[in-house]
Amino acid sequence: MTLTGIPSMTATTIFSAKKIITMNPSQPEVSHVAVREGRILGAGDLASLEAWGEYTLDDRFEDKILLPGFVEGHAHTMEGTLWRYVYCGFFDRMDPQGKSWGGLKSIDSVLDRLKDAEAKMVDPEEPLSGWALDPIYMGNRRVTRQDLDSVSSMRPIGVLHASGHILNVNSKALELAGLFKEGINHPGMPLGDDGIPTGELYGPETMTPVGVHVGFNRSLTDSDEKGLRDFGKLCVRTGVTTVTDLAARLEDSGVEAMLRVTGESTFPARVVPLKFFMGATAKETVDRALELKGKATDMCRLGRIKAIADGSIQGFSARMRWPGYHNGAPNGLWYTAPEQLEDLYRIALNANVQVHTHTNGDEATEMVLDTLGSVLKDVPHPDHRFTLQHCQLADAAQFRRMKALDMCVNLFANHHFYWGDEHYRLTVGPERALRMNACRTAIDTGVPMAIHSDAPVTPLGPLFTAWAAVNRITASGRTQGEREKIKVAEALKAITIGAAYTLHMDDEVGSIEVGKKADFAVLEDDPTQMSVEAIKDARVWGTVQGGRVFPAASL
Amino acid sequence: MIPVTVIGGYLGSGKTTLVNHLLRNANGVRLAVLVNEFGELAIDEDLIEAQADDVISIAGGCVCCSFGNDLTAALGNMAMMDPPPDHVLIESSGVAIPSSIVNSLVFMPAFRADGIVVLVDAETVQRSASDKYMGDTVTRQIADADIILLNKVDLAKAGALEATRAWLHIQNYAVRVVESIHGVVPPEIVLESFLVRARAGGKHIEPSHLDVMTIMPTGPVDARVLARALSDLSVGLVRAKGFVTQLDGTKALIQVVGRRFDVTDAKAEKADGIVCLGFKGLMSRETLEALV
Ligand SMILES: [Zn+2]
């Protein structure tokens, strides 16, 4: 990555632009922004900034639109690592190098792409791995080991689904795992007519033992150094300057690697990693978060916690209130008990550590509201900003309770596009599908709101996420939930200052005003002047992060 | 294959106390305990010999490991221990569905399921089962159990205890319900590995409502038919283990945990005989001998 930044960090550079959208209510649009020491010295017209003394005028953004650098409030840096595998998704998607991979519309085209990749491999035993498969869009045909055997029967092959909850493998992979046999009795491993597993593996307990043979190792959730650098490139290409890594194990070695990479002078994004509440007590987790907080740097904001209350809606593991799943599936699973969450919230509030909690089903959301509500009676904590992540099925009453408890919400706007049709037809039915990710209700109720991609579950790209919340179009082209649409200005706020607020960072990032980080998303097109259906296509030139300029074209 | 027992039950049902009781009474059986996390009181202090990051060494060659969110990896480590443990005990989290843990053993050829033991707080279980959020998790755990340890019976009122027992059998018809106080039960009930020792030592079984008998088949039997018969609720067995000669002359190993039974091939030199642990008054020598 080339650094075409400012010669001296103490000098002042004034950038001129076609338009600077500031998200600062006292001056929403300006023409110039002055930068010194990686921070915003001032925004306004040139005359108002000249009083700061000597400066260099940089007019390279003369025909560009500047926004505050986008803040992605729920992503996982592992997306950077996944790009080492063959992309098998239905939708077009850009890799860290900027190459756009065409979406594959049939199982045959997936197999063809895998065959191309296979033909380039030298070592005959090396596993071939793919990701982002989504047969829902391919007539819902099931993929079997025989399909993948047609790519190769000699080397192990595994293709991870877009949801991350299903893995397809070939016969060789089953053989290596000792599972190419009859008599296997497990709900997560369907058998073919011949009594041998079909190669479809559902859930981590079946995916893990086979996954290690097809290149998906156990610590997939933690990106390595190269993965993190690649993720940084995706940030530049999508205008992101601050990004969460929403639930990492954050063991010592992983933390060191993350501090090292984010500390490199060419690394372009501020990473906010949250410690996963799993496999340790509430006290241990908060203690660890505090210890990590002590190691935090400007570019690596350690010291927050993520908890998970339930599973996923499309996986039928989300916890639903009555009347439950539309297709009659049994209620989902709790990942954390209310007593454990209560412990966590209490200890974290006392230690001034922020907790974000994943809820998908409305029963999980209700449980968190009850639990935090009762803890806050004992431990009042003004401005805690505990945030519900996903929170996809919350109804109006639940948003009112969030408001009453001073909670924030980060809604999964992208999900609506990718799986909205499935939810309408199968999982929750029409009425609840219309209110999923109810951005309008959140804003009208006064709940501080962000919207997210959950990359790699859906692609990183705040402008796409904004488009999804504004248009609420599903993959089949239907508008689902007309009444929950929000305005472009509201969506742009959600991907900047809105997301920054949920991280307690709105005093530093999320708007272009004096004193804040010099973090900008640099766009070729002005999303406020495009048709609302087109804002996802506003072109990203690159970013400025901490005053350093990162053109996507020279990554 | 190393037997694996899953200890399930909601938070506060007494799993930790039970695990400590078993470790205290291990008597040479090398137990490996896998816990979701080391809480503050996971293992009684006086039992701990040494503690590294995620492994606690315990007197008598036992260990306790925390598996966090990767049980498969932890079991893999157990299988590679030298020497391997005699028995693995998985203390599942309060929200875990025990059958899904047992199901996942399919992928671990070094291990064999030795049943699901679910602890139930006699005083509070019916209330937990109607909890707005956790009710169905509690009843799913009960439905998964081969053996229920009805704990804290000293705290429950007499009439209430009977009602709780009746209710448990509605949730899980064939489950064997054993009463306990502070998780104190004969280790033989929880772990098959102890059952073998009970026979060898002719050990006396407490509490008094349980009994051990050894039955000797008089000739070759159909092991599968016999195992199924032993697992029938009416026979009054909690556990059984032993060897029989099959109709074709080969040896078979029979293992019964409540309603769950398993028949596997065994070495020819094994002597016939089945140790049965059951409820006094319900399990009778006549009934058992009639089956063989
Ligand atoms: Zn996520």
Side-chain angles (χ1 to χ4, degrees):
Chain A
M1 199 178 297
T2 51
L3 181 69
T4 52
I6 303 148
S8 157
M9 289 301 268
T10 53
T12 301
T13 302
I14 295 182
F15 293 101
S16 60
K18 188 168 161 193
K19 182 182 189 180
I20 301 176
I21 300 171
T22 66
M23 297 293 156
N24 172 5
S26 52
Q27 54 169 3
E29 279 180 27
V30 296
S31 57
H32 291 76
V33 57
V35 173
R36 184 192 285 173
E37 295 174 35
R39 300 172 72 175
I40 297 167
L41 186 62
D45 56 19
L46 187 59
S48 72
L49 300 171
E50 279 180 323
W52 286 107
E54 208 177 305
Y55 65 90
T56 313
L57 186 67
D58 189 328
D59 64 358
R60 74 177 102 182
F61 302 140
E62 196 61 55
D63 60 343
K64 313 269 185 270
I65 310 294
L66 264 54
L67 271 91
F70 298 142
V71 180
E72 171 52 271
H74 186 153
H76 303 271
T77 56
M78 68 180 280
E79 163 134 26
T81 316
L82 285 172
W83 277 108
R84 272 171 243 169
Y85 309 125
V86 180
Y87 178 65
C88 300
F90 182 81
F91 300 95
D92 298 353
R93 190 156 175 164
M94 193 195 290
D95 74 11
Q97 311 315 323
K99 174 175 174 179
S100 181
W101 291 79
L104 302 173
K105 307 302 179 193
S106 69
I107 303 290
D108 286 336
S109 51
V110 170
L111 297 176
D112 285 344
R113 185 173 287 172
L114 287 167
K115 282 172 193 161
D116 286 348
E118 206 274 339
K120 294 190 188 104
M121 294 171 78
V122 183
D123 177 352
E125 285 172 13
E126 189 192 337
L128 173 61
S129 332
W131 67 292
L133 182 66
D134 213 337
I136 283 177
Y137 303 117
M138 302 171 180
N140 234 340
R141 167 154 113 63
R142 291 167 69 176
V143 179
T144 63
R145 65 184 166 83
Q146 286 86 353
D147 289 319
L148 296 180
D149 287 347
S150 76
V151 176
S152 170
S153 55
M154 303 305 287
R155 71 171 79 248
I157 302 175
V159 183
L160 192 65
H161 285 222
S163 68
H165 301 301
I166 306 172
L167 178 67
N168 275 104
V169 298
N170 69 345
S171 303
K172 183 70 184 180
L174 286 172
E175 209 179 291
L176 291 173
L179 294 166
F180 191 84
K181 61 183 182 190
E182 295 175 53
I184 289 169
N185 179 15
H186 190 282
M189 193 173 278
L191 305 179
D193 293 338
D194 54 2
I196 296 196
T198 59
E200 301 158 284
L201 312 174
Y202 295 83
E205 59 205 25
T206 59
M207 287 162 59
T208 311
V210 191
V212 293
H213 298 285
V214 292
F216 293 112
N217 64 17
R218 291 204 172 86
S219 55
L220 197 61
T221 51
D222 298 18
S223 69
D224 54 16
E225 297 196 18
K226 178 181 174 352
L228 192 52
R229 285 189 198 98
D230 280 344
F231 188 72
K233 294 182 184 177
L234 285 170
C235 289
V236 172
R237 294 186 190 285
T238 54
V240 173
T241 52
T242 298
V243 64
T244 49
D245 190 8
L246 215 78
R249 292 181 305 166
L250 295 182
E251 286 162 2
D252 284 336
S253 61
V255 171
E256 276 159 33
M258 198 174 256
L259 286 169
R260 199 160 42 239
V261 173
T262 56
E264 290 167 2
S265 64
T266 51
F267 190 76
R270 194 172 286 102
V271 179
V272 186
L274 275 70
K275 164 81 186 152
F276 194 12
F277 177 50
M278 180 74 81
T281 62
K283 170 113 181 38
E284 288 165 344
T285 306
V286 173
D287 286 347
R288 176 66 175 161
L290 286 171
E291 186 190 341
L292 292 171
K293 212 177 205 175
K295 295 185 179 171
T297 61
D298 173 38
M299 291 293 282
C300 187
R301 300 301 183 90
L302 295 153
R304 294 170 177 80
I305 294 170
K306 154 109 176 268
I308 297 193
D310 68 341
S312 75
I313 303 166
Q314 71 272 33
F316 299 100
S317 52
R319 288 293 308 195
M320 303 286 288
R321 290 186 302 186
W322 190 88
Y325 286 104
H326 192 238
N327 69 345
N331 208 347
L333 299 172
W334 293 108
Y335 285 38
T336 312
E339 290 90 335
Q340 292 168 305
L341 276 183
E342 185 179 332
D343 246 15
L344 178 69
Y345 293 159
R346 188 181 305 276
I347 298 170
L349 284 169
N350 276 316
N352 207 18
V353 169
Q354 198 195 17
V355 179
H356 285 224
T357 309
H358 155 128
T359 67
N360 260 317
D362 53 1
E363 191 188 36
T365 297
E366 190 86 357
M367 186 271 267
V368 170
L369 290 167
D370 279 358
T371 306
L372 184 62
S374 85
V375 173
L376 283 169
K377 283 186 185 131
D378 295 345
V379 193
H381 197 104
D383 205 27
H384 56 78
R385 303 191 201 179
F386 276 29
T387 301
L388 286 165
Q389 291 285 351
H390 300 327
C391 195
Q392 297 203 71
L393 275 168
D395 64 8
Q398 292 184 325
F399 282 104
R400 289 190 286 270
R401 290 188 70 195
M402 286 171 223
K403 172 67 182 164
L405 295 174
D406 281 335
M407 293 193 81
C408 305
V409 71
N410 190 347
L411 297 169
F412 197 171
N414 283 19
H415 196 95
H416 201 79
F417 171 76
Y418 287 99
W419 288 284
D421 293 317
E422 285 297 296
H423 294 315
Y424 189 92
R425 189 177 62 77
L426 187 69
T427 63
V428 300
E431 182 178 350
R432 287 176 292 178
L434 294 186
R435 77 155 194 246
M436 283 184 78
N437 298 295
C439 295
R440 177 82 269 143
T441 301
I443 291 173
D444 290 353
T445 312
V447 180
M449 183 197 74
I451 48 180
H452 67 268
S453 67
D454 199 13
V457 177
T458 75
L460 183 71
L463 286 168
F464 179 90
T465 305
W467 170 87
V470 166
N471 294 285
R472 292 185 67 92
I473 292 173
T474 66
S476 70
R478 293 165 41 243
T479 298
Q480 188 164 298
E482 182 67 39
R483 298 280 179 163
E484 292 295 347
K485 286 181 174 178
I486 58 174
K487 298 202 164 63
V488 173
E490 292 168 323
L492 294 178
K493 188 180 164 196
I495 59 174
T496 53
I497 195 80
Y501 186 88
T502 66
L503 299 168
H504 268 297
M505 290 173 70
D506 55 313
D507 56 337
E508 293 183 76
V509 299
S511 66
I512 299 177
E513 53 187 307
V514 58
K516 292 189 133 182
K517 305 286 182 196
D519 290 3
F520 315 128
V522 183
L523 308 184
E524 304 277 6
D525 307 303
D526 181 353
T528 65
Q529 300 300 315
M530 305 168 81
S531 78
V532 294
E533 294 82 17
I535 57 171
K536 66 179 165 55
D537 305 318
R539 291 163 299 160
V540 177
W541 177 89
T543 60
V544 176
Q545 208 272 1
R548 301 167 302 159
V549 180
F550 294 98
S554 50
L555 285 174
Chain B
M1 289 197 287
I2 305 170
V4 178
T5 305
V6 176
I7 311 267
Y10 196 59
L11 302 168
S13 56
K15 286 178 291 188
T16 306
T17 316
L18 172 68
V19 164
N20 279 288
H21 171 68
L22 295 173
L23 287 168
R24 214 168 270 288
N25 294 280
N27 278 327
V29 177
R30 298 175 57 262
L31 291 178
V33 180
L34 298 179
V35 299
N36 209 243
E37 67 216 20
F38 291 148
E40 268 151 54
L41 303 162
I43 301 292
D44 291 347
E45 204 131 346
D46 63 304
L47 291 172
I48 298 177
E49 279 187 344
Q51 175 161 9
D53 244 6
D54 50 3
V55 181
I56 296 177
S57 307
I58 294 161
C62 299
V63 291
C64 178
C65 310
S66 67
F67 62 84
N69 54 352
D70 198 348
L71 181 61
T72 316
L75 279 169
N77 292 340
M78 291 297 105
M80 287 187 299
M81 266 173 67
D82 186 24
D86 297 323
H87 203 117
V88 172
L89 208 61
I90 300 174
E91 182 184 336
S92 67
S93 87
V95 290
I97 306 299
S99 56
S100 75
I101 297 178
V102 165
N103 284 337
S104 65
L105 294 175
V106 170
F107 312 116
M108 309 292 293
F111 298 96
R112 173 180 70 74
D114 179 43
I116 296 169
V117 177
V118 172
L119 277 105
V120 160
D121 183 323
E123 208 190 5
T124 61
V125 63
Q126 288 194 70
R127 195 163 63 232
S128 319
S130 56
D131 180 81
K132 184 179 174 189
Y133 298 121
M134 290 299 141
D136 64 319
T137 301
V138 170
T139 51
R140 277 196 227 181
Q141 290 172 344
I142 290 170
D144 276 354
D146 298 306
I147 298 169
I148 283 179
L149 295 186
L150 191 56
N151 205 359
K152 308 184 187 176
V153 292
D154 51 325
L155 300 175
K157 297 191 185 72
L161 199 56
E162 272 324 295
T164 301
R165 282 178 151 281
W167 177 83
L168 285 172
H169 280 289
I170 293 168
Q171 304 302 317
N172 180 343
Y173 167 71
V175 74
R176 311 311 202 257
V177 179
V178 178
E179 292 178 7
S180 78
I181 297 170
H182 302 311
V184 175
V185 289
E188 294 83 350
I189 290 188
V190 184
L191 308 177
E192 178 202 275
S193 307
F194 288 94
L195 187 59
V196 181
R197 202 189 54 200
R199 175 179 60 170
K203 193 170 162 281
H204 181 63
I205 293 285
E206 288 292 344
S208 50
H209 67 285
L210 295 168
D211 219 348
V212 177
M213 293 174 184
T214 302
I215 51 169
M216 292 297 196
T218 47
V221 296
D222 183 327
R224 199 154 270 283
V225 169
L226 174 59
R228 182 176 291 116
L230 288 171
S231 71
D232 194 280
L233 184 64
S234 64
V235 179
L237 283 191
V238 179
R239 283 185 172 276
K241 177 179 181 174
F243 298 95
V244 294
T245 305
Q246 299 241 58
L247 299 172
D248 64 1
T250 60
K251 287 280 174 188
L253 167 64
I254 289 179
Q255 288 155 311
V256 180
V257 193
R259 61 189 169 169
R260 181 191 298 264
F261 66 88
D262 222 357
V263 175
T264 43
D265 295 339
K267 291 199 185 93
E269 67 266 23
K270 294 289 184 186
D272 284 3
I274 301 170
V275 192
C276 302
L277 168 67
F279 297 105
K280 199 175 270 182
L282 198 54
M283 175 176 79
S284 76
R285 185 162 288 282
E286 297 76 64
T287 318
L288 290 176
E289 281 176 351
L291 296 175
V292 294

